[in-house]
């Protein structure tokens, strides 16, 4: 059967002008394939399998009828925690939201890229009012207007668990309504964070340790960058710290100058060294004689 399917696909490429009967056959085959794919999924949802946690049916051309079947299967399920139904052909979500109002396991619902409109926004608003488990809802690009956004904002006044509500790509022009929605979502997020820290204080300690480690890392990075800049200045011939003229040099600077003068003196020829040493000794002798004469003159002046 797989080989025949491959041959038929090849023929359809070679001969693009297929008859209407062949097109209808392919449409029925695609529909049958989807039904064969959905049927075992519905059975698995109904069985409440513990290892089945997520419904992934995005880009599957799911219609309202298929969504109703999925909703019926979810009535007895307590293990599904996320539902992905984005970019399908859904226009009515009432059957799904009615089941999720009393569901305590689903925490994420994504319906973006459908056509639910303000009627769907009304159903989502009712879900937000009555459900206390869902934290994330995505209904972007669903033809929702300002009226639907106002219903959602009003529903958030009765909800303390929803933290994310994706609404981008809709027909919402009311800036004030969007600000109100964001403020309420932020309040719920802060409350959830506070509750988590109260129930699990170790998370707060881990965060403090991470912040301390980050601060230590930033300090060490700053020291390294300062050292690198000093090394770069030294390689470029720029002193690390310029001392103004007339100011006293530090000990390190004096030691470096003495060492440099000693090195330059060692490079002088021996004959020049002897002359320099004789000149220095002569200066010392002259200084002593002058000091002796000065003392004699002082004594003579005293006794006159």
């Amino acid at each position: 059967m797989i080989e025949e399917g491959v041959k038929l696909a090849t023929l359809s490429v070679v001969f693009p002008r297929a008859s209407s009967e062949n097109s209808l056959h392919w449409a029925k085959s695609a529909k049958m394939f989807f039904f064969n794919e959905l049927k075992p999924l519905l059975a698995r949802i109904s069985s409440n399998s513990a290892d089945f946690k997520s419904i992934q049916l995005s880009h599957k051309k799911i219609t309202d009828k298929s969504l109703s079947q999925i909703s019926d299967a979810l009535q007895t399920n307590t293990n599904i925690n996320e539902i992905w139904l984005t970019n399908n052909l859904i226009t009515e979500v009432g059957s799904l939201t009615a089941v999720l109002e009393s569901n305590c396991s689903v925490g994420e619902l994504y319906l973006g890229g459908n056509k639910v409109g303000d009627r769907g926004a009304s159903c989502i608003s009712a879900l937000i009012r009555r459900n206390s488990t869902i934290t994330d809802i995505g209904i972007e690009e669903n033809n929702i207007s300002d009226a639907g956004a106002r219903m959602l904002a009003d529903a958030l006044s009765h909800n303390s668990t929803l933290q994310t509500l994706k609404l981008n790509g809709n027909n919402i022009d009311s800036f004030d309504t969007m600000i109100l929605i964001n403020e309420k979502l932020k309040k719920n997020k802060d409350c959830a964070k506070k509750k988590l820290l109260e129930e699990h204080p170790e998370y707060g300690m881990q965060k403090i340790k991470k912040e301390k480690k980050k601060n230590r890392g930033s300090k060490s990075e700053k020291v390294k960058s300062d050292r690198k800049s000093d090394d770069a200045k030294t390689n470029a011939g720029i002193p690390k710290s310029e001392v103004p003229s007339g100011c006293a040099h530090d000990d390190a600077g004096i030691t470096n100058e003495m060492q440099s003068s000693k090195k330059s003196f060692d490079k002088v020829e021996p004959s020049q060294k002897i002359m320099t040493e004789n000149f220095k000794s002569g200066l010392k002798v002259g200084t002593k004689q002058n000091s002796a004469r000065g003392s004699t003159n002082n004594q003579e002046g005293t006794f006159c």
Side-chain angles (χ1 to χ4, degrees), residues 126-194:
L127 174 64
I128 292 173
R129 284 173 178 270
R130 299 183 178 97
N131 183 280
S132 59
T133 306
I134 296 177
T135 59
D136 298 80
I137 294 178
I139 46 175
E140 61 271 32
E141 298 180 2
N142 265 284
N143 294 335
I144 297 172
S145 67
D146 290 337
R150 283 192 293 270
M151 287 187 284
L152 294 167
D154 183 64
L156 280 169
S157 301
H158 307 276
N159 182 284
S160 60
T161 55
L162 189 66
Q163 301 176 31
T164 303
L165 180 61
K166 297 180 181 179
L167 289 167
N168 54 297
N170 287 297
N171 303 323
I172 302 172
D173 297 325
S174 177
F175 187 69
D176 294 336
T177 304
M178 293 304 298
I179 289 177
L180 184 62
I181 289 173
N182 288 330
E183 287 177 351
K184 291 179 178 179
L185 292 173
K186 185 179 182 301
K187 183 180 178 182
N188 289 351
K189 191 175 291 186
D190 293 339
C191 291
K193 187 177 180 181
K194 184 179 179 180

Coordinates of all heavy atoms in Angstrom, one line a residue, residues 126-194:
A126 N -16.0 33.1 30.6 CA -16.6 32.2 31.6 C -15.7 31.2 32.2 O -15.8 30.9 33.4 CB -17.8 31.5 30.9
L127 N -14.8 30.7 31.3 CA -13.8 29.7 31.8 C -12.9 30.4 32.8 O -12.5 29.8 33.9 CB -13.0 29.2 30.7 CG -11.8 28.3 31.0 CD1 -12.3 27.0 31.7 CD2 -11.0 27.9 29.7
I128 N -12.4 31.6 32.6 CA -11.5 32.3 33.5 C -12.2 32.6 34.8 O -11.6 32.5 35.9 CB -11.1 33.6 32.8 CG1 -10.2 33.3 31.6 CG2 -10.3 34.5 33.8 CD1 -9.8 34.6 30.8
R129 N -13.5 32.9 34.8 CA -14.2 33.2 36.0 C -14.3 31.9 36.9 O -14.2 32.0 38.2 CB -15.7 33.6 35.7 CG -15.8 35.1 35.2 CD -17.2 35.3 34.8 NE -17.4 36.7 34.3 CZ -17.7 37.7 35.1 NH1 -18.0 37.5 36.4 NH2 -17.9 38.9 34.7
R130 N -14.5 30.7 36.3 CA -14.9 29.6 37.1 C -13.7 28.6 37.3 O -13.7 27.8 38.3 CB -16.0 28.8 36.4 CG -17.3 29.6 36.3 CD -18.4 28.8 35.7 NE -19.6 29.6 35.6 CZ -20.0 30.2 34.6 NH1 -19.3 30.1 33.4 NH2 -21.2 30.9 34.6
N131 N -12.6 28.7 36.5 CA -11.5 27.8 36.7 C -10.4 28.4 37.5 O -10.1 29.6 37.4 CB -10.9 27.5 35.3 CG -9.8 26.5 35.3 OD1 -8.7 26.8 35.6 ND2 -10.1 25.2 35.0
S132 N -9.8 27.6 38.4 CA -8.8 28.1 39.3 C -7.5 27.3 39.1 O -6.7 27.2 40.0 CB -9.2 28.0 40.7 OG -9.6 26.7 41.1
T133 N -7.3 26.7 37.9 CA -6.1 25.8 37.7 C -5.3 26.4 36.5 O -4.1 26.3 36.6 CB -6.6 24.4 37.4 OG1 -7.4 23.9 38.5 CG2 -5.3 23.5 37.2
I134 N -6.0 26.8 35.5 CA -5.3 27.3 34.3 C -4.5 28.5 34.5 O -5.0 29.5 35.1 CB -6.3 27.5 33.1 CG1 -7.0 26.2 32.7 CG2 -5.6 28.1 31.9 CD1 -8.0 26.4 31.7
T135 N -3.2 28.5 34.1 CA -2.3 29.7 34.3 C -1.9 30.3 33.0 O -1.5 31.5 33.0 CB -1.0 29.2 35.0 OG1 -0.3 28.2 34.2 CG2 -1.3 28.6 36.4
D136 N -2.1 29.6 31.9 CA -1.7 30.2 30.6 C -2.8 29.9 29.5 O -3.2 28.8 29.4 CB -0.4 29.6 30.1 CG 0.8 29.9 31.0 OD1 0.9 29.2 32.0 OD2 1.5 30.8 30.7
I137 N -3.2 31.0 28.9 CA -4.2 30.9 27.8 C -3.7 31.7 26.6 O -3.3 32.8 26.7 CB -5.6 31.4 28.2 CG1 -6.2 30.5 29.3 CG2 -6.6 31.4 27.0 CD1 -7.6 31.0 29.8
G138 N -3.7 31.1 25.4 CA -3.3 31.7 24.2 C -4.5 31.8 23.2 O -4.9 30.7 22.7
I139 N -5.0 33.0 22.9 CA -6.1 33.2 21.9 C -5.7 34.3 21.0 O -6.6 35.1 20.6 CB -7.4 33.5 22.6 CG1 -7.3 34.5 23.7 CG2 -8.0 32.2 23.2 CD1 -8.6 34.9 24.3
E140 N -4.5 34.3 20.6 CA -4.0 35.3 19.6 C -4.5 35.0 18.2 O -4.8 33.9 17.9 CB -2.5 35.4 19.6 CG -1.8 34.2 19.2 CD -1.5 33.2 20.4 OE1 -2.3 33.2 21.3 OE2 -0.5 32.5 20.3
E141 N -4.7 36.1 17.4 CA -5.2 36.0 16.0 C -6.5 35.2 15.9 O -6.6 34.2 15.3 CB -4.1 35.3 15.2 CG -2.8 36.1 15.1 CD -1.7 35.4 14.3 OE1 -2.0 34.4 13.7 OE2 -0.6 36.0 14.2
N142 N -7.5 35.7 16.6 CA -8.8 35.0 16.7 C -10.0 36.0 16.4 O -11.1 35.7 16.7 CB -9.0 34.3 18.0 CG -8.6 32.9 18.0 OD1 -9.3 32.0 17.5 ND2 -7.5 32.6 18.6
N143 N -9.7 37.1 15.7 CA -10.7 38.1 15.4 C -11.5 38.6 16.6 O -12.7 38.8 16.5 CB -11.7 37.5 14.4 CG -11.0 37.2 13.0 OD1 -10.0 37.9 12.7 ND2 -11.6 36.3 12.3
I144 N -10.8 38.8 17.7 CA -11.4 39.3 18.9 C -11.3 40.9 18.9 O -10.3 41.4 18.6 CB -10.7 38.8 20.2 CG1 -10.9 37.2 20.2 CG2 -11.3 39.4 21.4 CD1 -10.1 36.6 21.3
S145 N -12.4 41.5 19.2 CA -12.5 43.0 19.2 C -12.4 43.5 20.6 O -12.2 42.8 21.6 CB -13.8 43.4 18.5 OG -14.9 43.1 19.2
D146 N -12.7 44.9 20.7 CA -12.6 45.5 22.0 C -13.7 45.0 22.9 O -13.5 44.9 24.2 CB -12.9 47.0 21.8 CG -11.7 47.7 21.2 OD1 -10.6 47.1 21.2 OD2 -11.9 48.8 20.6
A147 N -14.9 44.6 22.4 CA -15.9 44.0 23.2 C -15.5 42.7 23.9 O -15.7 42.5 25.1 CB -17.2 43.8 22.4
G148 N -14.8 41.8 23.1 CA -14.3 40.6 23.7 C -13.2 40.9 24.7 O -13.1 40.2 25.7
A149 N -12.3 41.9 24.4 CA -11.3 42.2 25.4 C -11.8 42.7 26.7 O -11.3 42.4 27.8 CB -10.4 43.2 24.8
R150 N -12.9 43.5 26.6 CA -13.6 44.0 27.9 C -14.2 42.8 28.7 O -14.1 42.9 29.9 CB -14.6 45.0 27.5 CG -14.1 46.4 27.2 CD -15.2 47.4 27.1 NE -16.2 47.2 26.0 CZ -16.0 47.6 24.8 NH1 -15.0 48.4 24.5 NH2 -17.0 47.4 23.9
M151 N -14.7 41.8 28.0 CA -15.2 40.7 28.7 C -14.1 39.9 29.4 O -14.3 39.5 30.6 CB -16.0 39.8 27.8 CG -17.3 40.3 27.3 SD -18.3 39.1 26.3 CE -17.4 39.2 24.8
L152 N -13.0 39.8 28.8 CA -11.8 39.1 29.4 C -11.3 39.9 30.6 O -10.9 39.3 31.6 CB -10.8 38.9 28.3 CG -11.1 38.0 27.2 CD1 -10.1 38.1 26.0 CD2 -11.1 36.5 27.6
A153 N -11.2 41.2 30.4 CA -10.7 42.1 31.5 C -11.6 41.9 32.8 O -11.2 41.9 33.9 CB -10.6 43.5 31.1
D154 N -13.0 41.9 32.5 CA -13.9 41.8 33.6 C -13.8 40.4 34.3 O -13.9 40.3 35.5 CB -15.3 42.0 33.1 CG -16.4 42.0 34.2 OD1 -16.3 42.9 35.1 OD2 -17.2 41.1 34.2
A155 N -13.6 39.4 33.5 CA -13.5 38.0 34.1 C -12.2 37.9 34.9 O -12.2 37.2 35.9 CB -13.4 37.0 32.9
L156 N -11.1 38.6 34.6 CA -9.9 38.6 35.3 C -10.1 39.2 36.7 O -9.3 38.9 37.6 CB -8.8 39.3 34.6 CG -8.1 38.5 33.5 CD1 -7.2 39.4 32.6 CD2 -7.3 37.4 34.0
S157 N -11.1 40.0 36.9 CA -11.4 40.5 38.3 C -11.8 39.4 39.2 O -11.7 39.6 40.5 CB -12.4 41.6 38.2 OG -12.0 42.7 37.3
H158 N -12.3 38.3 38.7 CA -12.7 37.2 39.5 C -11.8 36.0 39.5 O -12.2 34.9 39.8 CB -14.1 36.7 39.1 CG -15.1 37.9 39.0 ND1 -15.8 38.3 40.1 CD2 -15.5 38.7 38.0 CE1 -16.6 39.3 39.8 NE2 -16.4 39.5 38.5
N159 N -10.5 36.2 39.0 CA -9.6 35.2 38.9 C -8.3 35.5 39.5 O -7.8 36.7 39.4 CB -9.3 34.9 37.4 CG -8.4 33.7 37.1 OD1 -7.2 33.8 37.3 ND2 -8.9 32.6 36.7
S160 N -7.6 34.6 40.2 CA -6.3 34.8 40.9 C -5.2 33.9 40.4 O -4.2 33.9 41.0 CB -6.5 34.8 42.4 OG -7.0 33.5 42.7
T161 N -5.5 33.1 39.4 CA -4.5 32.1 39.0 C -3.9 32.3 37.6 O -2.8 31.9 37.3 CB -5.1 30.6 39.1 OG1 -6.3 30.6 38.3 CG2 -5.4 30.3 40.5
L162 N -4.7 32.9 36.7 CA -4.2 33.1 35.3 C -3.1 34.1 35.3 O -3.3 35.2 35.8 CB -5.4 33.6 34.4 CG -5.1 33.6 32.9 CD1 -4.9 32.2 32.4 CD2 -6.2 34.3 32.2
Q163 N -2.0 33.8 34.7 CA -0.8 34.6 34.7 C -0.4 35.1 33.3 O 0.2 36.1 33.1 CB 0.4 33.9 35.3 CG 0.2 33.4 36.7 CD 1.3 32.6 37.3 OE1 2.5 32.8 36.9 NE2 1.0 31.7 38.1
T164 N -0.9 34.4 32.3 CA -0.5 34.7 30.9 C -1.8 34.6 30.0 O -2.5 33.6 30.0 CB 0.6 33.8 30.3 OG1 1.7 33.8 31.1 CG2 0.9 34.2 28.9
L165 N -2.1 35.7 29.3 CA -3.2 35.7 28.3 C -2.7 36.4 27.0 O -2.5 37.6 27.0 CB -4.4 36.5 28.9 CG -5.6 36.6 28.1 CD1 -6.2 35.2 27.8 CD2 -6.7 37.5 28.7
K166 N -2.5 35.6 26.0 CA -1.9 36.1 24.8 C -3.1 36.6 23.9 O -4.0 35.8 23.5 CB -1.2 34.9 24.1 CG 0.1 34.4 24.8 CD 0.8 33.4 24.1 CE 2.0 32.9 24.9 NZ 2.7 31.8 24.2
L167 N -3.0 37.8 23.5 CA -4.0 38.5 22.7 C -3.5 39.2 21.5 O -4.3 39.9 20.8 CB -4.8 39.5 23.6 CG -5.7 38.9 24.7 CD1 -6.2 40.0 25.6 CD2 -6.9 38.2 24.0
N168 N -2.3 39.0 21.2 CA -1.7 39.7 20.0 C -2.3 39.2 18.7 O -2.7 38.1 18.6 CB -0.2 39.6 20.0 CG 0.3 38.1 20.0 OD1 0.0 37.4 21.0 ND2 0.9 37.7 19.0
G169 N -2.4 40.1 17.7 CA -3.0 39.7 16.4 C -4.5 39.8 16.3 O -5.0 39.4 15.3
N170 N -5.1 40.3 17.4 CA -6.6 40.5 17.3 C -6.9 41.9 16.9 O -6.1 42.7 16.6 CB -7.2 40.1 18.7 CG -7.2 38.6 18.9 OD1 -7.8 37.9 18.2 ND2 -6.4 38.2 20.0
N171 N -8.2 42.2 16.9 CA -8.7 43.6 16.5 C -9.0 44.4 17.7 O -10.1 45.1 17.8 CB -10.0 43.4 15.6 CG -9.7 42.6 14.4 OD1 -8.6 42.6 13.8 ND2 -10.7 41.8 14.0
I172 N -8.1 44.5 18.7 CA -8.3 45.2 19.9 C -7.6 46.6 19.8 O -6.4 46.6 19.6 CB -7.7 44.4 21.1 CG1 -8.4 43.1 21.2 CG2 -7.9 45.2 22.4 CD1 -7.8 42.1 22.2
D173 N -8.4 47.6 19.9 CA -7.8 49.0 19.8 C -7.8 49.7 21.1 O -7.2 50.8 21.2 CB -8.6 49.8 18.8 CG -8.6 49.2 17.4 OD1 -7.5 48.7 17.0 OD2 -9.6 49.3 16.6
S174 N -8.5 49.2 22.1 CA -8.6 49.9 23.4 C -7.3 49.7 24.2 O -7.1 48.6 24.7 CB -9.8 49.4 24.2 OG -9.9 50.0 25.4
F175 N -6.6 50.8 24.3 CA -5.3 50.7 25.0 C -5.6 50.6 26.5 O -4.8 49.9 27.2 CB -4.5 52.0 24.7 CG -3.1 52.0 25.3 CD1 -2.1 51.1 24.8 CD2 -2.8 52.8 26.4 CE1 -0.9 51.1 25.4 CE2 -1.5 52.8 26.9 CZ -0.5 51.9 26.4
D176 N -6.6 51.2 27.0 CA -6.9 51.2 28.4 C -7.3 49.7 28.9 O -6.9 49.3 30.0 CB -8.0 52.1 28.8 CG -7.6 53.6 28.6 OD1 -6.4 53.9 28.6 OD2 -8.5 54.4 28.3
T177 N -8.0 49.1 28.0 CA -8.4 47.7 28.3 C -7.2 46.8 28.4 O -7.1 45.9 29.3 CB -9.4 47.2 27.3 OG1 -10.5 48.0 27.2 CG2 -9.9 45.8 27.6
M178 N -6.3 46.9 27.5 CA -5.1 46.1 27.5 C -4.2 46.4 28.8 O -3.7 45.5 29.3 CB -4.3 46.4 26.2 CG -4.9 45.9 25.0 SD -5.4 44.1 25.0 CE -3.8 43.4 25.2
I179 N -4.2 47.7 29.2 CA -3.4 48.0 30.4 C -4.1 47.3 31.6 O -3.4 46.8 32.5 CB -3.4 49.5 30.6 CG1 -2.4 50.2 29.5 CG2 -2.9 49.9 32.0 CD1 -2.4 51.7 29.6
L180 N -5.4 47.4 31.6 CA -6.1 46.8 32.7 C -5.9 45.3 32.8 O -5.6 44.7 33.9 CB -7.6 47.1 32.6 CG -8.5 46.6 33.7 CD1 -8.2 47.2 35.0 CD2 -10.0 46.9 33.4
I181 N -5.9 44.6 31.6 CA -5.6 43.2 31.6 C -4.2 42.9 32.1 O -4.0 41.9 32.9 CB -5.8 42.6 30.2 CG1 -7.3 42.7 29.8 CG2 -5.3 41.2 30.0 CD1 -7.6 42.3 28.4
N182 N -3.2 43.6 31.6 CA -1.8 43.4 32.0 C -1.6 43.6 33.5 O -0.9 42.9 34.2 CB -0.9 44.3 31.2 CG -0.8 43.9 29.8 OD1 -0.9 42.7 29.5 ND2 -0.6 44.9 28.9
E183 N -2.3 44.6 34.1 CA -2.1 44.9 35.5 C -2.7 43.7 36.3 O -2.1 43.3 37.3 CB -2.9 46.2 35.9 CG -2.2 47.4 35.4 CD -3.0 48.7 35.7 OE1 -4.1 48.6 36.2 OE2 -2.4 49.8 35.5
K184 N -3.8 43.2 35.9 CA -4.4 42.1 36.7 C -3.6 40.8 36.5 O -3.5 40.0 37.5 CB -5.9 41.8 36.2 CG -6.8 43.0 36.5 CD -8.2 42.8 36.0 CE -9.1 43.9 36.5 NZ -10.5 43.8 36.0
L185 N -3.0 40.6 35.3 CA -2.2 39.4 35.1 C -0.9 39.5 36.0 O -0.4 38.6 36.6 CB -1.8 39.3 33.7 CG -2.9 38.9 32.7 CD1 -2.5 38.9 31.3 CD2 -3.4 37.5 33.0
K186 N -0.4 40.7 36.1 CA 0.8 41.0 36.9 C 0.5 40.7 38.4 O 1.3 40.1 39.1 CB 1.4 42.4 36.7 CG 2.7 42.6 37.4 CD 3.2 44.0 37.1 CE 4.5 44.3 37.8 NZ 4.5 44.1 39.3
K187 N -0.6 41.2 38.8 CA -1.0 40.9 40.2 C -1.1 39.5 40.5 O -0.7 39.0 41.6 CB -2.4 41.6 40.5 CG -2.8 41.5 41.9 CD -4.2 42.3 42.1 CE -4.7 42.1 43.5 NZ -6.0 42.8 43.7
N188 N -1.8 38.7 39.6 CA -1.9 37.2 39.8 C -0.5 36.6 39.8 O -0.2 35.7 40.6 CB -2.7 36.6 38.7 CG -4.2 37.0 38.8 OD1 -4.6 37.5 39.8 ND2 -4.9 36.7 37.8
K189 N 0.4 37.1 39.0 CA 1.7 36.5 38.9 C 2.5 36.7 40.2 O 3.2 35.9 40.7 CB 2.5 37.1 37.7 CG 3.8 36.4 37.4 CD 4.4 36.9 36.1 CE 3.6 36.6 34.9 NZ 4.3 37.0 33.7
D190 N 2.4 38.0 40.7 CA 3.1 38.3 42.0 C 2.5 37.5 43.1 O 3.3 37.0 44.0 CB 2.9 39.8 42.3 CG 3.7 40.7 41.3 OD1 4.6 40.1 40.6 OD2 3.3 41.9 41.2
C191 N 1.2 37.3 43.2 CA 0.6 36.5 44.2 C 1.0 35.0 44.1 O 1.3 34.4 45.2 CB -0.9 36.6 44.1 SG -1.6 38.2 44.5
A192 N 1.1 34.5 42.9 CA 1.6 33.1 42.7 C 3.0 32.9 43.2 O 3.4 31.9 43.8 CB 1.4 32.7 41.3
K193 N 3.8 33.9 42.9 CA 5.2 33.9 43.3 C 5.4 33.9 44.8 O 6.1 33.2 45.4 CB 6.0 35.1 42.7 CG 7.5 35.0 42.9 CD 8.1 36.2 42.1 CE 9.6 36.2 42.3 NZ 10.2 37.4 41.6
K194 N 4.6 34.8 45.4 CA 4.6 34.9 46.9 C 4.2 33.6 47.6 O 4.8 33.1 48.5 CB 3.7 36.1 47.3 CG 3.8 36.3 48.8 CD 2.9 37.5 49.2 CE 2.9 37.8 50.7 NZ 2.0 38.9 51.0

